[in-house]
Amino acid sequence: PAPTESHTRAQYCRWPCECPRSPPRCAAGVSLVTDGCDCCKTCARQRGESCTEADTCDFHRGLYCDYSGDRPRYEIGVCAQIVGVGCVLNGVRYKNGETFQPNCKYNCTCINGAVGCVPMCTNSRPPLVWCPNPKLIKMAGKCCEQWVCDDSRKIRKTSPRHISSAAYEGEDEAWQKNCIVHTSPWSPCSKTCGLGISTRISNHNDQCRLLKESRLCNMRPCEVDITQHIKPGKKCLAVYRANEPMNYTISGCVSKSPYRPKYCGVCTDNRCCTPYKSKTIEVSFQCPDGTEFSWKIMWINACFCNLNCRNPNDIFADLAHYYDYSEIAN
């Protein structure tokens, strides 16, 4: 009688399993998988390499064992690429494995006929607790919606004392000579103590041009140990103010008038104190050579101690629900 396949096809699996004590170390990019006998860990065969029932192809790379060239035994095959099905989305055709962005909010990949997307807008948290009625809105020039406080026309006496109509100035787009005025929030102060700088972008000018504005900021003095001023039994001092007025000094130039500014305090636990209400004042300086100039300076009115601490130089921090609303007045 003619030989059957079972007589001519070699058997590559042996039971019971006999495996080495430690699994092999695979080359970079090669998967460590369980062999086809379901026994031992082995390095998966790559595209173009031979494969058997024991030596499996790297399925993580979309490979399978093609036995078609080994008829009639179907004993030794070659690892080949699975040809996946492409995708069609909104009338556009994408290849299998192709990554694309249908819009600025999503990054998508075509996987064998199905489209899988990852959202690019990950800010899903509303602003801090002092915002009574948060609302997601589309902001000019930004892809992702931003959280705002939607109480501009509903300010009541029962609202927290730091929520006022001044908080919402510039939130709605204003028309000015065919120019949609937009002003971004001030960035966090570049220094946690001592004189730093804060910036914002605004087109609130005659040319309607987006310009970078700067102001000086001083969150707290570096030379004062504010923890000594925390009341007994308390862990935080939200606002610190020196007893005596002082003059601002920049590069030897002294402010014409003395000031007694408020600073944000400190906590002895994990909380940090940041400004939630501030304004910008103009300060005139006089230099030893007789020249004069003026600078915008952040004037802190009130601070808020909370657990949502951020390093101002951490560009990866999720700033949206702290940075945009840490100050609620310009």
Side-chain angles (χ1 to χ4, degrees), residues 309-328:
C309 303
R310 301 291 189 199
N311 176 356
N313 296 315
D314 181 3
I315 63 171
F316 299 105
D318 177 17
L319 291 173
H321 101 239
Y322 165 69
Y323 158 88
D324 278 2
Y325 308 99
S326 59
E327 296 172 42
I328 61 169

Side-chain angles (χ1 to χ4, degrees), residues 244-267:
E244 298 297 326
M246 46 76 74
N247 287 74
Y248 288 106
T249 305
I250 303 176
S251 303
C253 304
V254 181
S255 63
K256 287 184 175 181
S257 303
Y259 295 86
R260 189 167 166 246
K262 288 180 182 178
Y263 301 101
C264 286
V266 294
C267 298

